[in-house]
Amino acid sequence: MKGRISKIGSYAISSSIRDNQHQQPCISCTTFNILAPIYKRLSQKDQSLRESDNRAYWLGRNHRILDWLLYERSSIICLQEFWVGNEELVNLYEKRLGDAGYLSYKLGRTNNRGDGLLTAVHKDYFRVVNSRDLLFNDCGDRVAQLLHVELVPPYSQYDAHQQVLIVNTHLLFPHDSTLSIVRLQQVYKILQYVESYQKEVNLSPMPIILCGDWNGSKRGHVYKFLRSQGFVSSYDTAHRYTDSDAHKWVSHRNHRGNICAVDFIWLLNPNRYRKLLKTSWSEAVFGMFRYLLRRASLTAEDAFAFLKTDNDGDHITFMGFCETLRQLNLTGHCNGLTTKEIKDLWIQADIDGNGLLDYKEFQQRIWNQTWSEQRDAEDGEAKGNQEQTVGFSVKNAVLFPPEVEKGMWPENYSLSDHARLTVVFSPIRMPCSQLVS
């Protein structure tokens, strides 16, 4: 019974691909934090005892992980906490994935942290056009991988040169409140990098898939930031969950024993409504700003007075704004907002450009954020007689083990402290959208 249940997720995915291929070819994508042996604890009593100390343990577990990955045979595989510091394990993955037809790319975290990322694409589905590494060089030594790929026949049936951008990343864990802004900055850097790469090589609009362990839930600022840029959570799309359905599923039991949904495969189609990236970034930071003020039970009037600091006038000065950021722990430490980011926020808030924020500007830009109301997902698609391109529809999405799809964590699951997420996509024709300020 246990073995039969363990195959449910893979069976659902393979069935979905097989059923849809009678109509049109599909591709699939798997993201999985495989828990590096250097972090996997073998004993609650002795926290220093790690799986990396026992070759038989980590070798056996990673063989089982590869068995499942190769059984599922996703077109795209994105792994986090890949133990790049162990040559035997690296060779194991490269050999078994290579023998199965995958091209794999690994990237270690900066400062020799030991783990990193591995992204693999199957040659039956993709030709790799380019690959790029993104190093954040922040306190968490995090990294991201960008793969620019082209679908091969028959998966490129709509467009002989149909291309996709794939990103794999693992964001910093928010060990304390000062790190929340860092995670937001990391996502901002990823999106900036993707945007600059598209301009650098003069790319036409194409689907963008962001995979990884985001170390934040659907209630968090990173989630809201990505949604404001037009990205959709593929798992939630497949199951018709809304942004408020944060309790419906989980994908991780962290070192504190909490279970949460942190693993996502994000999809941005070329027909999606998109704000300017800097606008979305400002909104996200001000959203964090507002959250901290409201958590302190401040009313709008109280918050405005707080930002005024010792100023007697009926306005907020730049110095008062900076002091408030410091008191809210968004600046004043190595992980805080940079001087340029603070100035950019101030420019966005100062609507009339007179160097002061009055109460109306405070209300519009910070407290209520009425400057750019986000369209609903159903209304966010391009309309009209625009240029046609190719995007993806989400056909199915499955988490394994199956209990996590009901918001529970099974005690007998030992492959990782994360669930494996696989999504099936089908290429479809759609109109292009444009950036909207």
Side-chain angles (χ1 to χ4, degrees):
M1 174 63 76
K2 181 179 175 182
R4 185 178 67 82
I5 292 174
S6 68
K7 294 184 179 180
I8 289 176
S10 295
Y11 177 77
I13 288 296
S14 59
S15 296
S16 179
I17 295 174
R18 186 169 57 251
D19 293 344
N20 279 287
Q21 281 183 332
H22 291 304
Q23 305 164 10
Q24 56 191 14
C26 293
I27 67 166
S28 54
C29 179
T30 293
T31 187
F32 192 18
N33 181 323
I34 58 175
L35 181 55
I38 52 176
Y39 303 134
K40 182 173 173 58
R41 297 174 175 88
L42 294 182
S43 170
Q44 291 299 319
K45 293 181 179 179
D46 183 1
Q47 295 286 307
S48 65
L49 187 61
R50 301 298 172 98
E51 187 188 54
S52 53
D53 299 323
N54 190 312
R55 179 179 177 273
Y57 283 9
W58 63 255
L59 189 60
R61 183 170 67 90
N62 280 276
H63 266 298
R64 293 196 301 274
I65 288 171
L66 278 162
D67 288 344
W68 280 113
L69 292 173
L70 296 178
Y71 174 79
E72 204 164 77
R73 199 178 179 271
S74 285
S75 320
I76 305 164
I77 296 173
C78 294
L79 305 180
Q80 304 84 43
E81 289 198 24
F82 179 63
W83 194 12
V84 297
N86 184 283
E87 186 177 354
E88 183 179 5
L89 184 134
V90 170
N91 291 339
L92 170 68
Y93 274 80
E94 290 181 342
K95 175 71 166 58
R96 292 194 62 183
L97 289 172
D99 288 348
Y102 287 93
L103 297 171
S104 59
Y105 301 80
K106 67 179 187 297
L107 176 63
R109 289 167 61 189
T110 50
N111 289 321
N112 296 315
R113 295 296 289 264
D115 69 305
L117 306 171
L118 183 141
T119 304
V121 292
H122 203 284
K123 290 183 285 188
D124 286 353
Y125 298 85
F126 298 108
R127 179 181 73 85
V128 177
V129 178
N130 202 353
S131 64
R132 295 282 183 90
D133 297 337
L134 174 56
L135 312 179
F136 295 127
N137 293 313
D138 59 27
C139 65
D141 296 309
R142 299 292 168 164
V143 294
Q145 292 175 294
L146 170 67
L147 257 64
H148 176 192
V149 299
E150 184 175 273
L151 283 167
V152 299
Y155 306 98
S156 58
Q157 61 176 4
Y158 286 120
D159 184 346
H161 301 287
Q162 183 187 338
Q163 299 179 353
V164 185
L165 292 179
I166 303 164
V167 175
N168 182 15
T169 195
H170 181 188
L171 297 190
L172 187 68
F173 184 85
H175 292 283
D176 60 65
S177 60
T178 66
L179 300 179
S180 295
I181 191 67
V182 178
R183 296 173 57 259
L184 204 55
Q185 286 170 317
Q186 288 172 343
V187 179
Y188 186 36
K189 288 177 183 177
I190 289 172
L191 297 187
Q192 281 181 314
Y193 191 84
V194 170
E195 195 172 271
S196 65
Y197 177 78
Q198 289 175 294
K199 291 176 181 177
E200 175 192 333
V201 296
N202 195 28
L203 295 181
S204 301
M206 63 183 61
I208 300 172
I209 298 174
L210 306 182
C211 300
D213 174 1
W214 300 86
N215 264 323
S217 73
K218 293 178 66 173
R219 298 185 178 95
H221 300 287
V222 165
Y223 181 92
K224 294 172 184 176
F225 178 37
L226 286 166
R227 291 290 286 119
S228 75
Q229 274 289 290
F231 286 90
V232 297
S233 162
S234 299
Y235 183 83
D236 293 292
T237 299
H239 294 268
R240 298 183 179 179
Y241 292 154
T242 67
D243 289 347
S244 60
D245 288 329
H247 60 289
K248 295 290 182 69
W249 58 278
V250 298
S251 68
H252 176 42
R253 181 167 65 181
N254 65 30
H255 60 282
R256 297 172 178 170
N258 302 320
I259 57 173
C260 42
V262 301
D263 299 272
F264 292 88
I265 295 177
W266 292 95
L267 171 66
L268 177 65
N269 266 322
N271 70 333
R272 295 295 298 176
Y273 163 87
R274 293 182 66 189
K275 300 175 186 176
L276 288 176
L277 183 54
K278 184 176 287 188
T279 300
S280 282
W281 160 252
S282 298
E283 288 182 348
V285 177
F286 281 133
M288 185 176 293
F289 191 97
R290 184 174 62 254
Y291 166 78
L292 293 170
L293 292 172
R294 288 180 171 171
R295 192 174 66 175
S297 300
L298 296 182
T299 65
E301 292 78 10
D302 292 337
F304 184 69
F306 179 56
L307 267 75
K308 282 170 50 180
T309 60
D310 295 331
N311 174 39
D312 294 330
D314 196 24
H315 55 258
I316 301 165
T317 65
F318 180 66
M319 292 301 294
F321 179 70
C322 292
E323 174 59 20
T324 303
L325 289 174
R326 187 191 67 78
Q327 291 190 44
L328 292 176
N329 224 8
L330 296 176
T331 62
H333 50 85
C334 65
N335 309 318
L337 294 165
T338 66
T339 301
K340 184 181 183 305
E341 288 170 341
I342 295 169
K343 288 181 178 177
D344 286 343
L345 289 171
W346 177 258
I347 291 169
Q348 292 279 348
D350 183 13
I351 299 172
D352 59 18
N354 70 346
L356 301 170
L357 295 187
D358 58 30
Y359 187 69
K360 183 178 179 181
E361 288 172 321
F362 164 76
Q363 282 271 11
Q364 187 171 343
R365 287 294 196 247
I366 298 177
W367 196 252
N368 292 321
Q369 271 196 7
T370 57
W371 55 352
S372 54
E373 295 178 0
Q374 178 64 37
R375 303 179 190 182
D376 292 332
E378 292 78 14
D379 299 328
E381 297 182 355
K383 295 178 175 63
N385 298 319
Q386 290 152 311
E387 179 185 347
Q388 292 287 305
T389 186
V390 177
F392 289 128
S393 65
V394 179
K395 291 298 182 183
N396 196 6
V398 171
L399 281 160
F400 178 83
E403 290 89 343
V404 303
E405 296 194 318
K406 299 177 182 179
M408 300 179 292
W409 192 264
E411 293 300 324
N412 61 352
Y413 175 65
S414 60
L415 273 189
S416 176
D417 57 355
H418 284 258
R420 185 176 74 246
L421 170 60
T422 298
V423 177
V424 178
F425 298 106
S426 178
I428 56 171
R429 283 198 174 277
M430 58 180 57
C432 292
S433 183
Q434 301 295 324
L435 284 174
V436 180
S437 60

